[in-house]
Amino acid sequence: LFIGDEVAGSIGLSRNKAGSFTVQEVTLASSIAAAVSQSLYAAHLFTAEREQRNLAEALLDTAMALNRSRALGVVLDRVQTNISRVIPHDSGNIMLLEKGIGRVVRCWGYSPESEAWMKQFRFSVDDWTTFRAMLNTRQTYLVADVANHPGWVTYGETVTIRSHMGAPLLVDEQIWGFVHVDSLQPYAFTPLHADHLQAFANQVALALHNTHLHEQMERHAELLEQKVVERTADLAHANEELRALAQVKDEFVAHISHELRTPITNLILRQALIERMPEKQAKHLDVMRRETLRLNRIIEDLLQLSRLDRGRVALDLVALDLNALVAQYVMDRLPMAENLGLTLTLGQRLYLPSVEGDEEMLGQVLSVLLTNALNYTP
């Protein structure tokens, strides 16, 4: 009896007397065998077509679940159901890997106690030959009879398992986990079953990939939202600073206008007085000279501020004794402090090392600090 080119069985006929079959009977038996073979072949095709259609429907059902839901749990439940439709088995599980440690996220066909234990237990892939084989080959691994498989590990209810099959979950060429099915009968699984299991494993891997991408998008969206909040706060702070700077600028312009107006007014006044009273020219010219110097100093200060703002000031760095430099300006301001009824004292640091600095510019800083301190101290 043949199915295609493979022997599927035979028909045997016996008689107690040697040579009692005629040629016609042998021919008839051959014809009967051919008819039975044809029936077997048709039944085989029908069974294969039904299994293929069943597989296609199961894969389509899982794909529809993938398209409808981003929830990984929904897809895993559907995969579990469809594996049971296509591959005859007694128990199974879906395991995810993290840093070489396996965690069971779905299992079926076990007692409630065993299911609870499996979901709590953590499997090290280095301790299991089946895991290591799938990690190395990235292909489905089939154990026809666990009793004859070296390195097979039993635990709990698995002592009754006789055949086993696992398929890796490949995501971007990386194994993220495994799908396993077990049978209580040896040689229960065929290479065709292995292909079917890998097809479901690929769908689980796709669900994992989609879930990972969705989580990345959510994290990216949260990060963008956080960045927008931070940038909005930065812009609000910058606007506040700009408003403050605008106010400072307005005050500065008003102050400078006042500072410029005073010497200019004096110059105009002294010029008019000279025209009216030429005999007092020397006195008025002396005032005009002081006001001109004051005006020049104000303009130089403005130019210096502009150069500082643009970073175009060339520093004349020399070794400076800060004690001596500060003492010089304190001594200069002592009369002013006394006139204001203030006490100005200097506390020097002993053994203070020299520093490199621009003596003139540091002097300007000290002068401004001391003048402001004296002017605004009660």
Side-chain angles (χ1 to χ4, degrees):
L1 305 177
F2 289 90
I3 296 180
D5 295 329
E6 295 183 0
V7 175
S10 63
I11 295 178
L13 303 174
S14 304
R15 277 180 178 169
N16 294 330
K17 184 179 179 181
S20 60
F21 288 113
T22 65
V23 173
Q24 289 81 5
E25 289 173 332
V26 172
T27 302
L28 178 58
S30 297
S31 298
I32 292 172
V36 173
S37 294
Q38 186 64 32
S39 298
L40 288 173
Y41 182 63
H44 172 74
L45 289 179
F46 175 76
T47 302
E49 189 275 335
R50 183 177 57 190
E51 289 179 353
Q52 193 65 29
R53 184 173 64 251
N54 193 26
L55 173 66
E57 290 174 352
L59 291 174
L60 178 61
D61 183 62
T62 308
M64 291 174 65
L66 265 170
N67 290 332
R68 284 196 297 263
S69 175
R70 290 195 185 100
L72 179 61
V74 173
V75 178
L76 294 181
D77 289 340
R78 193 62 61 86
V79 168
Q80 172 187 332
T81 300
N82 287 323
I83 288 177
S84 300
R85 286 175 55 187
V86 174
I87 304 173
H89 64 285
D90 295 299
S91 59
N93 63 78
I94 300 174
M95 180 185 296
L96 299 183
L97 281 182
E98 184 175 355
K99 297 180 180 179
I101 302 298
R103 175 174 58 90
V104 173
V105 294
R106 286 291 184 282
C107 57
W108 57 95
Y110 304 94
S111 67
E113 294 79 11
S114 293
E115 283 195 13
W117 178 85
M118 290 185 68
K119 289 181 179 179
Q120 291 178 356
F121 190 72
R122 297 296 177 261
F123 301 81
S124 174
V125 294
D126 294 333
D127 298 336
W128 302 71
T129 57
T130 54
F131 296 156
R132 292 199 302 270
M134 285 185 281
L135 285 172
N136 292 332
T137 64
R138 282 173 163 67
Q139 294 178 356
T140 306
Y141 191 75
L142 195 155
V143 181
D145 187 355
V146 300
N148 299 318
H149 184 76
W152 177 261
V153 179
T154 59
Y155 55 92
E157 293 183 11
T158 63
V159 294
T160 58
I161 291 175
R162 290 301 307 275
S163 53
H164 168 84
M165 186 166 57
L169 307 177
L170 282 169
V171 179
D172 295 332
E173 299 302 319
Q174 298 294 321
I175 294 181
W176 285 27
F178 308 99
V179 178
H180 302 113
V181 290
D182 302 303
S183 175
L184 303 179
Q185 302 297 323
Y187 302 96
F189 304 121
T190 66
L192 183 61
H193 290 143
D195 291 340
H196 293 171
L197 186 64
Q198 188 61 63
F200 286 110
N202 291 340
Q203 289 189 317
V204 175
L206 181 59
L208 288 171
H209 183 64
N210 290 345
T211 301
H212 179 65
L213 288 178
H214 181 65
E215 290 174 350
Q216 282 187 323
M217 290 176 62
E218 286 187 335
R219 285 196 297 269
H220 186 61
E222 291 175 359
L223 182 61
L224 283 178
E225 185 177 355
Q226 181 182 351
K227 292 292 185 184
V228 168
V229 172
E230 291 175 355
R231 292 297 175 267
T232 302
D234 290 343
L235 286 173
H237 180 67
N239 286 334
E240 288 295 327
E241 287 188 338
L242 285 175
R243 280 192 287 269
L245 287 173
Q247 183 178 353
V248 170
K249 185 194 72 172
D250 292 341
E251 293 175 355
F252 177 75
V253 170
H255 177 71
I256 289 300
S257 298
H258 174 73
E259 290 290 323
L260 290 173
R261 187 179 298 112
T262 300
I264 291 174
T265 301
N266 267 336
L267 287 172
I268 295 172
L269 174 62
R270 296 296 172 172
Q271 181 184 359
L273 291 174
I274 289 174
E275 290 175 353
R276 292 182 184 179
M277 296 176 287
E279 67 279 5
K280 296 185 178 181
Q281 177 177 337
K283 176 183 176 182
H284 296 313
L285 285 177
D286 186 52
V287 174
M288 292 178 72
R289 188 179 302 105
R290 286 200 305 272
E291 293 298 335
T292 302
L293 290 174
R294 179 182 176 188
L295 187 61
N296 182 69
R297 186 171 63 254
I298 293 173
I299 294 172
E300 281 298 323
D301 286 346
L302 288 174
L303 292 174
Q304 181 75 334
L305 280 174
S306 176
R307 288 192 289 269
L308 283 169
D309 191 50
R310 289 177 295 161
R312 294 186 177 181
V313 174
L315 300 178
D316 182 18
L317 299 179
V318 296
L320 294 176
D321 181 346
L322 288 181
N323 279 328
L325 183 65
V326 175
Q328 173 187 338
Y329 282 87
V330 169
M331 293 300 293
D332 289 345
R333 294 301 186 280
L334 279 175
M336 181 179 178
E338 291 175 358
N339 290 335
L340 293 171
L342 299 174
T343 301
L344 180 60
T345 59
L346 170 63
Q348 292 188 327
R349 294 283 301 274
L350 298 177
Y351 312 111
L352 190 66
S354 63
V355 297
E356 279 197 351
D358 188 307
E359 184 174 4
E360 181 180 350
M361 295 188 69
L362 281 173
Q364 290 182 13
V365 172
L366 289 168
S367 176
V368 171
L369 287 173
L370 286 166
T371 301
N372 284 345
L374 295 171
N375 286 336
Y376 297 101
T377 299

